[in-house]
Amino acid sequence: MEEGATMLLGASLVGMLLFSKLVLKLPWTHVGFSLLFLYLGSGGWRFIRIFIKTIRRDIFGGIVLLKVKAKVRRHLRERHTVPILFASTVQRHPDKTALIFEGTDTHWTFRQLDDYSSRVANFLQARGLASGDVVALFMENRNEFVGLWLGMAKLGVEAALINTNLRRDALHHCLTSSQARALIFGSEMAPAVWEIHTSLDPLLSLFCSGPWEPSAVPAGTEHLDPLLEEAPKHLPSRPNKGFLDKLFYIYTSGTTGLPKAAIVVHSRYYRMVALVYYGFRMQPDDIVYDCLPLYHSAGNIVGIGQCLLHGMTVVIRKKFSASRFWDDCIKYNCTIVQYIGELCRYLLNQPPREAENRHRVRMALGNGLRQSIWTDFSSRFHIPQVAEFYGATECNCSLGNFDGQVPPSGGLWLQQPLLSSVYPIRLVRVNENTMELIRGPDGVCLPCKPGEPGQLVGTIIQKDPLRRFDGYLNQGANNKKIAKDVFRKGDQAYLTGDVLVMDELGYLYFRDRTGDTFRWKGENVSTTEVEGTLSRLLDMADVAVYGVEVPGTEGRAGMAAVAKPFGSCDLEHFARLLDKELPLYARPIFLRFLPELHKTGTFKLQKMELRKEGFDLKVVKDPLFYLDARKGRYVPLDQEAYTRIQAGEEKL
């Protein structure tokens, strides 16, 4: 083992040895001899330096993991569900404000949320729905969104939470693939439902919530709001569901217009909420400002979950507004704000205002905040703690920056070796060009050394709520996220698809998004599925899709390299097809036409050089085009347009 790895292992073991003494009450003699052995064998003073820097973090992280583990075991044993845990919250403080919808300044207490959700459950039961059925929910952010899926959960009905950006084929796919028996949509989404209503199953029940205009909704649609007012508010009979059963589905973004439904079970919901709550030292009297979409896990689990499970007040905003952000925080006395990386940059781009100095926000909670703006964001807006976390909806290996320090002195904490039995995740070596795992002579994956990039993986044990992988409704999609013989022969592990680097202190940093995924407009985009759609639309041409950096923007803009003469493509027609096939965030911003695409020996597209070259006119000599947002079509990328894009003057 190399010196850096030895340092990390030694410091990690020391931290856990002290943890064993302080928490597990082992004799000091055991700890003392172990410390001496480690010191002599792992690098002397350098070992001590790393130990001093990591001991507090490692003990705290270990306590959090073991605390959540103990709670998970109890909930599993007692077959708790999110509605059962919510009932305990209601009992503790029924008259405390649970949700505030900023759009109408509507305040709901925990008792009111409980009553509303029970009415939903009783109404659906009266309409013949039962535990195990699916109801699709297609609605912008508001209090009712939470009450609707929570009410479904009280009955054991599983909600399919549909991205409000989806239209036509993508929307239709979400309804059919989930086998939903009913669709509840907000009146603001009526035009999107109208577009597809003739192709829907005639047996699908349609309910509209919000302002009612009969002529604006498909025939047969019922107005939900008065129906719920008439429904009884008593708690329905408890369904035969437990901690490991399905709660709802979240559709992963960035697919071809045919999103994948990620399964969220009750234990996963609890785990994500609890790790954030305890890991970042939240308090029940915190007030959370949630302006993220509730059809995604960050807004609906990490945010709303703090209300349902820990009794916090959550302020819901329909959509993020940079100009109103701090005014809202002041008005509602918010102490925690949620973000994604793009959101922070948008706030920084706003001119200075008095409101940004008068708020009570003590924590920014989210993911994707770049190191380049981290300090500017926290210092300008006077936010003491940035709580950065990582974890896709379906993944079993979440991480957090528990120190709250700015990278590179702080980063995502990779739990240390002695905690692997509690939460086994690891960084393993990978071919960055092909994303193929690198294995040793025994066929098992090789752990990364400090400074060596690798892919983050988490071992899968289905009986353990912290380590299970529930995956997607589509079993074929699951196969792409699972590898065998990773930690040891015969095991299985979840593949995050992200390339990270670990330093000698055990912190992880993103090196780059892989060729399989990139993030744009706050959404994760699956390149492999977008490639399939583009290839089909371009007469089965070879297509490589990847993300490229654009100055002054967060994430990466989609770019497609097409092995086809550009003169043979009707780009206006192509843009119209994309408008129908792909959500806005998944459409490639840049097109590059070239004679051929290079592949590996196993016929995988090589994207490394393509990503490096990006859309740089000095490097790329092939024909380049970009999607003109104003014209809605692809136009040649000339020097003038390139200069505007580099200067941030061209809207993409």
Side-chain angles (χ1 to χ4, degrees):
M1 183 180 294
E2 292 188 359
E3 184 181 11
T6 305
M7 297 296 99
L8 175 59
L9 178 59
S12 303
L13 290 173
V14 169
M16 293 316 301
L17 286 169
L18 288 186
F19 173 75
S20 299
K21 171 60 185 176
L22 298 176
V23 179
L24 303 182
K25 310 299 183 183
L26 295 181
W28 272 117
T29 53
H30 292 185
V31 177
F33 280 118
S34 299
L35 287 175
L36 178 61
F37 171 77
L38 287 170
Y39 176 80
L40 295 175
S42 58
W45 288 112
R46 190 178 179 199
F47 160 78
I48 295 297
R49 178 180 63 83
I50 294 176
F51 160 68
I52 292 172
K53 287 188 175 183
T54 59
I55 180 60
R56 182 178 178 183
R57 175 203 68 187
D58 292 350
I59 289 179
F60 173 73
I63 291 173
V64 169
L65 285 176
L66 291 175
K67 185 173 186 176
V68 173
K69 178 78 170 180
K71 289 179 175 291
V72 161
R73 283 179 174 173
R74 180 171 67 87
H75 296 319
L76 179 63
R77 182 175 62 253
E78 299 179 10
R79 289 181 57 79
H80 285 164
T81 60
V82 168
I84 291 173
L85 297 176
F86 172 67
S88 299
T89 305
V90 176
Q91 191 173 24
R92 289 196 301 272
H93 31 59
D95 298 319
K96 179 182 178 180
T97 299
L99 300 174
I100 302 173
F101 177 50
E102 179 278 335
T104 56
D105 203 28
T106 303
H107 293 58
W108 282 11
T109 65
F110 281 92
R111 191 197 311 274
Q112 288 174 312
L113 176 57
D114 189 36
D115 289 347
Y116 181 90
S117 57
S118 291
R119 290 180 188 276
V120 171
N122 290 316
F123 168 74
L124 293 177
Q125 186 175 52
R127 290 301 182 99
L129 282 98
S131 180
D133 288 333
V134 177
V135 173
L137 183 56
F138 189 45
M139 178 184 291
E140 291 182 342
N141 287 8
R142 58 177 183 265
N143 292 357
E144 288 80 0
F145 187 105
V146 181
L148 285 165
W149 75 252
L150 181 60
M152 296 175 200
K154 287 184 174 182
L155 186 61
V157 169
E158 299 150 14
L161 309 180
I162 299 180
N163 188 323
T164 54
N165 292 298
L166 300 182
R167 297 293 184 274
R168 303 184 183 93
D169 293 347
L171 176 56
H172 185 270
H173 168 77
C174 289
L175 295 174
T176 55
S177 64
S178 66
Q179 299 183 332
R181 291 189 54 193
L183 167 63
I184 297 176
F185 62 93
S187 54
E188 70 279 1
M189 307 311 300
V193 178
W194 187 273
E195 286 181 328
I196 65 167
H197 79 280
T198 57
S199 62
L200 295 177
D201 186 336
L203 297 178
L204 181 72
S205 301
L206 300 178
F207 302 99
C208 178
S209 175
W212 178 246
E213 177 53 58
S215 62
V217 298
T221 301
E222 298 181 72
H223 191 199
L224 181 64
D225 300 347
L227 297 174
L228 292 181
E229 290 178 4
E230 298 171 0
K233 62 180 182 180
H234 63 77
L235 187 67
S237 300
R238 177 178 174 178
N240 184 26
K241 287 217 171 188
F243 204 45
L244 300 182
D245 288 316
K246 295 175 184 176
L247 174 60
F248 54 57
Y249 306 108
I250 288 181
Y251 287 85
T252 58
S253 57
T255 63
T256 63
L258 301 179
K260 301 188 295 290
I263 299 170
V264 177
V265 299
H266 293 264
S267 63
R268 178 171 298 277
Y269 193 98
Y270 176 81
R271 187 203 77 192
M272 294 177 70
V273 174
L275 286 174
V276 166
Y277 180 83
Y278 294 110
F280 295 124
R281 300 179 177 89
M282 295 179 173
Q283 299 297 324
D285 59 353
D286 276 318
I287 300 175
V288 179
Y289 185 67
D290 188 349
C291 58
L292 305 181
L294 297 185
Y295 54 74
H296 273 176
S297 55
N300 199 21
I301 302 180
V302 176
I304 295 298
Q306 306 307 332
C307 166
L308 303 183
L309 304 187
H310 296 125
M312 294 186 196
T313 299
V314 174
V315 179
I316 299 173
R317 204 179 204 284
K318 184 170 73 171
K319 292 183 179 179
F320 164 70
S321 169
S323 61
R324 293 292 306 170
F325 190 91
W326 298 115
D327 291 324
D328 289 344
C329 290
I330 293 170
K331 179 178 180 180
Y332 298 109
N333 295 313
C334 297
T335 58
I336 298 175
V337 296
Q338 288 191 264
Y339 72 87
I340 54 174
E342 293 89 336
L343 187 153
C344 299
R345 186 180 293 275
Y346 296 151
L347 291 174
L348 281 172
N349 288 340
Q350 288 286 301
R353 302 174 67 244
E354 182 185 356
E356 67 189 48
N357 298 311
R358 293 171 40 224
H359 60 79
R360 296 177 53 240
V361 174
R362 66 175 183 82
M363 179 193 302
L365 171 68
N367 56 68
L369 181 57
R370 287 194 176 187
Q371 179 182 345
S372 59
I373 65 170
W374 186 304
T375 301
D376 291 342
F377 177 77
S378 59
S379 61
R380 172 177 165 179
F381 300 122
H382 313 290
I383 300 179
Q385 181 183 3
V386 174
E388 177 89 1
F389 66 89
Y390 164 83
T393 301
E394 72 283 0
C395 87
N396 67 347
C397 43
S398 303
L399 301 170
N401 182 320
F402 295 145
D403 290 349
Q405 297 182 29
V406 183
S409 59
L412 297 169
W413 176 65
L414 181 65
Q415 102 294 329
Q416 304 311 317
L418 288 183
L419 278 174
S420 60
S421 61
V422 179
Y423 199 48
I425 59 179
R426 182 178 295 172
L427 201 63
V428 297
R429 292 179 60 188
V430 66
N431 183 320
E432 287 188 83
N433 194 34
T434 65
M435 287 307 294
E436 292 177 309
L437 300 174
I438 298 175
R439 300 176 181 273
D442 59 356
V444 175
C445 293
L446 300 173
C448 289
K449 303 166 186 173
E452 186 174 55
Q455 181 172 181
L456 188 68
V457 299
T459 193
I460 298 173
I461 299 179
Q462 288 301 105
K463 294 182 179 180
D464 186 339
L466 286 180
R467 295 181 283 183
R468 63 184 285 123
F469 173 65
D470 299 292
Y472 309 96
L473 278 179
N474 182 341
Q475 289 301 313
N478 289 337
N479 296 334
K480 298 177 182 179
K481 302 297 292 185
I482 297 176
K484 296 182 179 180
D485 302 332
V486 177
F487 289 74
R488 60 182 179 274
K489 279 288 188 180
D491 71 359
Q492 289 186 321
Y494 167 81
L495 304 174
T496 62
D498 284 312
V499 176
L500 298 96
V501 177
M502 177 178 65
D503 67 13
E504 65 174 8
L505 301 181
Y507 287 114
L508 292 181
Y509 305 95
F510 283 99
R511 180 183 179 94
D512 197 356
R513 285 283 179 182
T514 72
D516 294 331
T517 313
F518 64 88
R519 190 171 181 84
W520 181 245
K521 300 294 185 183
E523 306 280 0
N524 293 326
V525 182
S526 169
T527 63
T528 54
E529 298 187 21
V530 174
E531 285 166 354
T533 294
L534 298 188
S535 178
R536 174 167 51 83
L537 297 180
L538 294 170
D539 300 324
M540 305 311 293
D542 279 343
V543 179
V545 175
Y546 44 96
V548 294
E549 291 187 355
V550 178
T553 64
E554 290 292 340
R556 290 176 180 267
M559 184 166 184
V562 182
K564 186 174 184 177
F566 76 92
S568 63
C569 298
D570 183 342
L571 292 183
E572 288 194 22
H573 179 64
F574 177 65
R576 289 195 296 271
L577 291 176
L578 287 183
D579 181 57
K580 180 179 180 181
E581 296 269 353
L582 295 176
L584 181 63
Y585 50 79
R587 298 169 200 164
I589 303 298
F590 300 99
L591 296 179
R592 174 180 178 177
F593 291 89
L594 66 174
E596 64 175 340
L597 292 174
H598 298 294
K599 300 179 181 179
T600 68
T602 55
F603 302 102
K604 292 186 177 181
L605 295 171
Q606 293 184 326
K607 302 180 183 180
M608 185 68 70
E609 285 302 315
L610 294 173
R611 289 203 301 270
K612 289 180 179 178
E613 293 172 355
F615 56 96
D616 188 345
L617 292 178
K618 296 179 181 178
V619 177
V620 180
K621 302 307 177 184
D622 301 312
L624 292 174
F625 296 81
Y626 76 100
L627 185 59
D628 189 317
R630 293 166 298 181
K631 299 178 181 178
R633 59 186 175 86
Y634 289 96
V635 297
L637 180 65
D638 55 22
Q639 187 59 52
E640 182 180 348
Y642 179 81
T643 301
R644 291 199 307 272
I645 292 172
Q646 293 295 105
E649 299 171 354
E650 184 76 26
K651 182 179 179 181
L652 298 177

